[in-house]
Amino acid sequence: MCVIVHKPRDARIPADLLEASLRLNADGWGLMGFDADGELVIERHAETDADAIRAALDAHPEGDLVLHLRQRTRGSNERVNAHPFKIADGLYLMHNGTLPLGGR
């Protein structure tokens, strides 16, 4: 299953937690939350790279962010399957597990 990590404002995700999470969840990543000014931060990537993730987190040290590390269960490893998913303007979703197809 995927890993979702909340990074509260002014906190850091420990490097060992990030590395351990990436060992089994290297099928894409995404970031959502708000920077220090309250601006929306959204990133989605197909390629999982610890340095790129750390750079994205370091770009918003005072931000309140949520990191999603994907373990593919369905679909390709393309960016289209990286979280977060836009549901509506200002509404995004990250989930852990598999959602049923066809709206059931």
Side-chain angles (χ1 to χ4, degrees), residues 1-5 17 21 25 67-71 95-96:
M1 277 202 220
C2 303
V3 170
I4 299 172
V5 180
L17 173 62
S21 298
N25 299 277
L67 172 66
H68 183 277
L69 301 172
R70 183 171 184 247
Q71 181 185 52
H95 67 89
N96 186 3

Side-chain angles (χ1 to χ4, degrees), residues 6 15 20 33 36 39 42 46-47 60 83 88 96-97 102:
H6 175 230
E39 295 295 317
I42 299 289
E47 305 221 355
H60 307 287
H83 302 210
N96 186 3

